[in-house]
């Protein structure tokens, strides 16, 4: 089953306490915290509900980050976070680095395992952080869609440096791919859904697709893409991958 959970310290869109309650139930069921991968985010003020910000809005950015991490640890009922992501770049590079430096101290203390950034579609922003970072970015999480040219240059840069690229809105952001003849032909050959084939396709590109479904049936289908979560993605042929790639 799924062993990775992606959330955020952003009550506007995420509910970390629910994840914490689930972790406690899983522990009781014999599934240890160490067998799970928990990723959460520090969300800057502009991404928060102004009536429900989980940190002091008058505080400095370093203080906001410290408070956000503390809230996440409490909400998630855990002593460590596997991956902490800057939910979006801040307005300036200086502000990005102010937040990053605090996150680096949590990595050095063993509270956070790795760092990353989300909603970063400007490669120069990522490169500027990486240039000054003591702890290099390990993950980039972006919307995978045509408006950003599918982050082709950014993904190539990440691949060269061993940075994982996670995609969200992979299905909802790409209805034209799901309905395309090459993808539907591959789905027919494999006796799978177009959604399963699209997940397999992006995985073949080196992309980790995130699933936000609440449907148990769709969860099972998503797991089937990766052989129950334990193996390589569905075996698309080189010709199928090439044909679908031409649509990007």
């Amino acid at each position: 089953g799924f062993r990775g959970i992606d959330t955020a310290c952003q009550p506007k869109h995420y509910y970390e306490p629910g994840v914490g309650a689930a972790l406690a139930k899983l522990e009781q069921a014999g599934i240890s915290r160490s067998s799970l991968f928990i990723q959460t985010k520090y969300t800057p003020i502009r991404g928060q509900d102004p009536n429900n910000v989980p940190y002091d809005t008058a505080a400095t950015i370093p203080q906001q980050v410290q408070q956000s991490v503390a809230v996440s640890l409490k909400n998630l009922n855990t002593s460590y976070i596997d991956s902490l992501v800057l939910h979006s770049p801040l307005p300036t590079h200086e502000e990005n680095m102010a937040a990053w430096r605090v996150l680096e101290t949590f990595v050095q203390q063993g509270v956070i395992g790795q760092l990353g950034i989300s909603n970063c579609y400007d490669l120069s922003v990522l490169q500027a952080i990486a240039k000054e970072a003591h702890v290099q970015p390990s993950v980039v999480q972006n919307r995978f869609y045509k408006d950003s040219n599918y982050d082709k240059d950014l993904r190539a840069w990440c691949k060269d440096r061993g940075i994982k690229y996670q995609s969200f809105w992979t299905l909802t952001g790409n209805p034209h791919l799901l309905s395309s003849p090459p993808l539907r032909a591959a789905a027919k050959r494999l006796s799978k859904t177009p959604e399963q084939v699209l997940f397999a396709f992006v995985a073949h590109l080196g992309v980790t697709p995130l699933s936000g479904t609440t449907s148990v049936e769709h969860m099972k289908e998503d797991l089937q893409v990766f052989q129950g979560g334990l193996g390589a993605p569905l075996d698309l042929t080189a010709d199928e991958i090439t044909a679908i790639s031409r649509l990007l």
Side-chain angles (χ1 to χ4, degrees):
F2 291 101
R3 293 298 176 111
I5 299 173
D6 175 73
T7 184
C9 192
Q10 183 196 33
K12 180 180 180 180
H13 294 303
Y14 295 84
Y15 187 56
E16 283 184 324
V19 176
L23 294 181
K25 289 184 178 180
L26 288 172
E27 189 78 36
Q28 293 173 358
I31 299 175
S32 66
R33 168 68 181 86
S34 61
S35 69
L36 304 171
F37 185 88
I38 308 301
Q39 177 171 275
T40 192
K41 308 175 190 74
Y42 156 68
T43 305
I45 290 176
R46 62 183 177 180
Q48 301 280 3
D49 176 352
N51 296 313
N52 192 12
V53 181
Y55 49 77
D56 181 2
T57 58
T60 65
I61 287 175
Q63 291 171 333
Q64 290 176 12
V65 174
Q66 290 174 335
Q67 292 171 16
S68 179
V69 172
V71 170
S72 288
L73 289 168
K74 181 179 178 181
N75 286 342
L76 297 169
N77 191 31
T78 184
S79 61
Y80 68 98
I81 296 166
D82 297 283
S83 181
L84 200 297
V85 173
L86 180 60
H87 209 160
S88 65
L90 288 149
T92 69
H93 172 65
E94 290 72 23
E95 290 173 310
N96 283 334
M97 293 313 302
W100 200 266
R101 290 294 183 232
V102 176
L103 294 174
E104 288 178 327
T105 63
F106 281 111
V107 173
Q108 293 162 0
Q109 294 166 5
V111 176
I112 293 173
Q114 66 177 34
L115 303 181
I117 188 168
S118 181
N119 295 295
C120 181
Y121 302 96
D122 185 338
L123 177 55
S124 67
V125 171
L126 178 60
Q127 289 173 326
I129 292 173
K131 182 178 180 180
E132 294 187 24
H134 303 309
V135 177
Q136 287 294 302
S138 294
V139 63
V140 171
Q141 182 188 120
N142 276 355
R143 184 181 304 177
F144 186 79
Y145 69 147
K146 63 181 179 181
D147 288 7
S148 63
N149 196 32
Y150 294 99
D151 282 334
K152 292 177 182 176
D153 292 340
L154 189 147
R155 285 192 291 113
W157 190 85
C158 288
K159 184 177 180 180
D160 287 344
R161 287 154 183 80
I163 300 173
K164 297 291 185 183
Y165 181 97
Q166 298 174 348
S167 66
F168 64 90
W169 283 29
T170 312
L171 303 180
T172 55
N174 295 287
H176 64 295
L177 294 181
L178 291 171
S179 63
S180 66
L183 195 143
R184 288 192 169 273
K188 182 178 180 179
R189 180 184 69 81
L190 292 165
S191 298
K192 299 296 182 183
T193 68
E195 290 79 6
Q196 287 175 304
V197 172
L198 182 52
F199 269 1
F201 167 72
V202 300
H204 278 288
L205 296 182
V207 172
T208 301
L210 303 183
S211 173
T213 184
T214 57
S215 164
V216 174
E217 179 182 355
H218 289 166
M219 290 179 194
K220 291 178 179 178
E221 289 176 350
D222 292 345
L223 288 171
Q224 288 171 8
V225 174
F226 301 97
Q227 301 177 36
L230 301 174
L234 295 172
D235 191 16
L236 298 175
T237 67
D239 288 343
E240 288 169 337
I241 292 173
T242 298
I244 301 171
S245 294
R246 291 196 184 104
L247 302 175
L248 301 186

